[in-house]
Amino acid sequence: MTKKHTRCCSCTCNTMANTENEDNQTTKTPAPTATAELMIRDRCSVKWRDGTLLPAEIVERRPIRRANTNHTNTKKTKRDADNTDEADKNGDPNNTDQQHNMEYYVHYLNHDRRLDEWCSISRFQLDTLDSSHRHVSLQKQHTSSRKRKSTASDAMHKANQELAELEREHEEMTKVKNIHNIVIGNWDVETWYFSPYPSEFSPCETLFICEFCLKYMKHKCSYRKHKECCEKRRPPGREIYRENNLSVFEIDGKENRVYCQNLCLLAKLFLDHKTLYYDVDPFWFYIVTEVDNEGAHVVGYFSKEKVSAEDYNLACILTFPQHQKSGYGKFIISLSYELSKREKKVGSPEKPLSDLGKISYRSYWTHVLMHLLSQSSKQGKMKSLSIKAISTITAIKVEDILSTFQSLNMIQYWKGQHVIKVRQDLIKDYMKNSKPIRLCKSEYLTWEK
């Protein structure tokens, strides 16, 4: 039986509603409803899935695809077809009915791009249309920005230019989702972002992916045949962790290049700024799976560099949407630190972290540090517990420990060094309200350096 997974809208709708009033205070250039022509970069209120009107910007537009039932008068010359395509893209102000035959890819302002979607004209509140942005040149914006920074050094200026150019190229290339949902195992999952699958597989509405070898197919019949003949029932590499039905496999990106490349392409559908697609050789991949009679089903993974000058113990982390809110995120983070302990190193995730990444890591660091302080307090060892000692015990970098204690108001600077300001009331309150979380248990980890 196929299980349907869709994007969770309950939390995002509340967030959107909180900022809607603020966004709607911006000056609009209303257009008459009857003659409004929607173009790329126009802004308008759009009806969200719960009926709420939210400010959005048009990113792309295209003709609505309809099945053609009339086969007698459908012949076009190449020039006619080209002219029609160009008119569809740019709009024809003389055709007032054209917008009803178009659909628009919108980005909801001040919200994550994973909420972007195609909308019909019926969802637009046309009397809120603001067309003042359609003629703004992005190049001019960046040029004026560069002029304001002209006092910076030439080297820094050039680096900023190159970074800005890369950001523009990335945004332009990935602005529209090319695959709308995937079928993997018994799950039908709605995707969040663009992923650079080969052109013969995208764009497409549904991509079919083998959950064991991660091979991807465009057609259901090919997928069905592959499932019948695929002999893989677990990821490649070696199993390094087994706790009941939870298993983790370590994979060398160089030795299993195709599998890891397929994994990265799959992960990019749910990660906005991941750039690792094909250069997988310098990385280790750790695949977290749930095991049953059918095999080991992938629920998430993390990757890390084989050699990291910055002591990063994690480069990329993902729990796939159909397995989120099951505690796997904290498990994966704790696994990365258990590996650091085995290596006798301290580690930290690759920076910068996303907003969600910061929340997850701050939650994990707080959990580990508060439990350590509580245990040390009971054992009467608080006086001997320094920041450096905590780092050695937990494998968490000193700067991450300091930032966490600062967020808890539990650190002070005294005689030239940072000292823990023990707050027993805060520790007891945290321990009282702390909920059990899924962590990696060292006794089940068979990995050795």
Side-chain angles (χ1 to χ4, degrees):
M1 179 178 179
T2 300
K3 304 174 186 176
K4 179 69 177 178
H5 177 87
T6 57
R7 291 180 289 189
C8 178
C9 299
S10 57
C11 61
T12 51
C13 283
N14 291 335
T15 306
M16 287 179 165
N18 290 337
T19 57
E20 181 186 359
N21 292 334
E22 179 182 342
D23 290 325
N24 283 340
Q25 290 174 1
T26 58
T27 303
K28 300 283 192 266
T29 305
T33 303
T35 60
E37 177 71 18
L38 300 181
M39 303 293 290
I40 293 174
R41 289 199 292 274
D42 282 355
R43 295 184 179 184
C44 188
S45 293
V46 177
K47 188 179 294 185
W48 178 242
R49 300 178 184 184
D50 64 352
T52 307
L53 287 175
L54 303 170
E57 179 173 320
I58 297 175
V59 176
E60 190 58 273
R61 44 180 274 157
R62 71 184 181 189
I64 295 176
R65 296 182 175 89
R66 293 190 177 93
N68 191 355
T69 57
N70 183 3
H71 299 282
T72 58
N73 296 314
T74 56
K75 261 189 152 182
K76 287 186 181 181
T77 65
K78 184 177 185 301
R79 178 176 297 179
D80 290 338
D82 290 342
N83 291 340
T84 301
D85 291 342
E86 187 66 21
D88 286 340
K89 184 173 182 180
N90 297 328
D92 180 3
N94 297 319
N95 186 358
T96 57
D97 294 328
Q98 179 175 290
Q99 60 185 344
H100 297 285
N101 297 318
M102 302 290 289
E103 58 183 349
Y104 306 87
Y105 197 76
V106 300
H107 167 66
Y108 295 101
L109 300 178
N110 300 323
H111 295 92
D112 195 282
R113 290 204 305 164
R114 74 186 184 92
L115 301 175
D116 296 1
E117 60 181 345
W118 288 102
C119 299
S120 65
I121 189 67
S122 62
R123 292 174 58 184
F124 286 79
Q125 187 75 21
L126 294 178
D127 58 1
T128 65
L129 178 62
D130 174 11
S131 59
S132 63
H133 300 271
R134 67 173 65 170
H135 300 301
V136 175
S137 169
L138 294 178
Q139 186 61 39
K140 288 182 179 179
Q141 289 179 342
H142 293 297
T143 301
S144 61
S145 175
R146 288 196 295 268
K147 288 179 180 178
R148 288 194 296 270
K149 298 177 182 178
S150 60
T151 56
S153 66
D154 291 341
M156 182 64 72
H157 180 60
K158 184 177 180 180
N160 289 339
Q161 281 183 316
E162 292 175 351
L163 180 61
E165 183 62 31
L166 287 174
E167 287 290 335
R168 288 196 298 273
E169 289 178 3
H170 176 270
E171 186 174 348
E172 180 63 26
M173 183 182 74
T174 65
K175 65 181 182 180
V176 179
K177 282 194 305 185
N178 56 335
I179 296 166
H180 291 272
N181 61 290
I182 60 169
V183 172
I184 180 167
N186 292 327
W187 296 95
D188 187 342
V189 188
E190 187 173 355
T191 63
W192 295 351
Y193 306 110
F194 173 95
S195 182
Y197 278 93
S199 58
E200 58 265 36
F201 295 92
S202 68
C204 72
E205 189 68 27
T206 302
L207 194 67
F208 300 88
I209 300 175
C210 175
E211 62 177 327
F212 298 115
C213 70
L214 302 187
K215 181 179 179 180
Y216 45 89
M217 291 143 276
K218 195 170 183 178
H219 303 290
K220 190 174 183 178
C221 59
S222 301
Y223 177 61
R224 192 183 300 115
K225 291 179 182 178
H226 174 82
K227 287 177 68 175
E228 292 174 356
C229 65
C230 183
E231 298 179 353
K232 304 292 184 183
R233 284 297 176 268
R234 45 156 278 182
R238 61 170 178 153
E239 186 178 31
I240 63 169
Y241 188 93
R242 173 63 76 95
E243 179 189 357
N244 299 323
N245 71 327
L246 183 62
S247 182
V248 180
F249 296 84
E250 180 186 60
I251 304 176
D252 187 334
K254 186 175 182 179
E255 292 182 3
N256 297 277
R257 191 172 294 153
V258 173
Y259 180 91
C260 294
Q261 288 173 346
N262 288 346
L263 175 65
C264 290
L265 288 171
L266 173 60
K268 181 61 186 71
L269 292 169
F270 308 101
L271 296 170
D272 194 11
H273 289 293
K274 180 176 173 57
T275 56
L276 168 67
Y277 310 129
Y278 299 107
D279 185 20
V280 297
D281 290 15
F283 291 86
W284 293 106
F285 293 82
Y286 297 87
I287 316 299
V288 181
T289 66
E290 288 180 351
V291 182
D292 60 19
N293 293 333
E294 294 181 357
H297 310 273
V298 178
V299 301
Y301 86 103
F302 82 93
S303 62
K304 73 171 185 177
E305 291 180 293
K306 294 175 182 177
V307 179
S308 174
E310 296 85 0
D311 292 325
Y312 292 142
N313 63 1
L314 184 144
C316 181
I317 179 173
L318 176 67
T319 302
F320 288 103
Q322 65 270 32
H323 299 290
Q324 290 179 1
K325 298 185 179 180
S326 300
Y328 286 115
K330 298 290 195 309
F331 174 84
I332 294 173
I333 293 173
S334 65
L335 173 61
S336 70
Y337 280 105
E338 284 298 326
L339 293 174
S340 293
K341 292 176 186 177
R342 297 287 176 95
E343 293 176 308
K344 294 181 170 51
K345 295 179 179 179
V346 296
S348 184
E350 189 172 305
K351 306 296 192 307
L353 290 169
S354 66
D355 291 341
L356 292 178
K358 289 176 183 177
I359 293 172
S360 297
Y361 266 93
R362 180 57 54 81
S363 175
Y364 170 78
W365 291 331
T366 300
H367 177 88
V368 170
L369 296 178
M370 295 298 267
H371 277 73
L372 178 60
L373 292 180
S374 177
Q375 183 181 9
S376 299
S377 179
K378 291 177 181 178
Q379 297 174 351
K381 297 181 180 179
M382 285 295 295
K383 291 185 179 180
S384 62
L385 200 62
S386 64
I387 299 293
K388 188 174 182 180
I390 293 175
S391 179
T392 302
I393 294 169
T394 63
I396 301 174
K397 264 195 166 184
V398 168
E399 51 262 41
D400 296 329
I401 295 173
L402 290 175
S403 68
T404 303
F405 278 142
Q406 286 171 350
S407 71
L408 298 169
N409 196 24
M410 291 181 63
I411 200 78
Q412 61 184 15
Y413 198 70
W414 185 68
K415 292 186 177 181
Q417 61 181 354
H418 290 96
V419 179
I420 303 171
K421 183 173 67 176
V422 179
R423 296 179 56 189
Q424 290 293 348
D425 59 331
L426 186 60
I427 296 173
K428 289 180 181 179
D429 186 59
Y430 180 87
M431 297 302 295
K432 180 181 178 181
N433 298 306
S434 178
K435 297 179 181 179
I437 64 174
R438 175 178 272 171
L439 297 176
C440 172
K441 298 176 182 177
S442 181
E443 60 268 28
Y444 296 110
L445 182 62
T446 60
W447 189 93
E448 296 294 338
K449 185 176 179 181

